[in-house]
Amino acid sequence: MQIGIVGLGRMGLNMCLRLLLKGHKVVAYNRTPEKTKSVVRKGAKGAYSLENLVKILKPPRIVWLMLPAGQATDDHIARLKTLLSRGDILVEGGNSFYKDDLRHAEELKPYGIHYVDAGVSGGIWGLKIGYCLMIGGEKRMFHYLEPIFKALAPKEGYLYCGSTGAGHFVKMTHNGIEYGMMSAYGEGLNS
């Protein structure tokens, strides 16, 4: 499948590389061209603006955002809703609050753009081992995107969690458990 990745931080960059290794076609965009060029050297197509990214992708376009939650994500979605077409798919993979997903899906609905939220866990080991994915949104979009999820995740490492917001809700719960465990380890070791 062809997919556009927006945001080439540590996780976004490694997700691009993992998708390339699994035979997918990646169009990569980052606000700093140097990061984009680094992925182009590994086999991705480079886009140097959101307009360029949308122009390169073939419909129905898949654009996966890997940006910090909050204003950066909101700003990119606001721009992309005017660039994408009816039937295109926007996947939001940041550490966003699930209620923001509900707002984003409603914002995109009049444009006919499908919205999928994806909690992503894997950190620095994701490239080698895979990313655990917690997916929310329309079930038919989950099935359509499943080849991407299979490529990114370890075996049985992705899950359809339910309607819009469910993916990020499960990721929020995952983070709460993980941070609680780390805090307990720290307290125990400090004793």
Side-chain angles (χ1 to χ4, degrees), residues 95-107:
N95 245 346
S96 295
F97 185 49
Y98 73 96
K99 288 187 178 180
D100 289 343
D101 294 319
L102 302 174
R103 179 173 49 83
H104 290 143
E106 282 302 311
E107 183 181 347

Side-chain angles (χ1 to χ4, degrees), residues 64-78:
W64 188 309
L65 300 180
M66 284 304 293
L67 300 167
Q71 196 64 51
T73 295
D74 289 350
D75 291 348
H76 278 76
I77 290 173

Side-chain angles (χ1 to χ4, degrees), residues 110-121:
Y111 295 87
I113 300 166
H114 302 283
Y115 182 84
V116 175
D117 57 286
V120 180
S121 182

Side-chain angles (χ1 to χ4, degrees), residues 6 8 11 23 29 35 41 47 49 57 69 73 82 92 107 119 139 141 151 160 162 176 183 186:
V6 175
L8 302 176
M11 285 182 68
Y29 167 73
K35 287 258 186 148
R41 288 192 289 273
S49 69
L57 291 168
T73 295
T82 65
E92 207 279 275
E107 183 181 347
K139 195 160 195 175
M141 289 298 106
Y160 176 70
S183 180

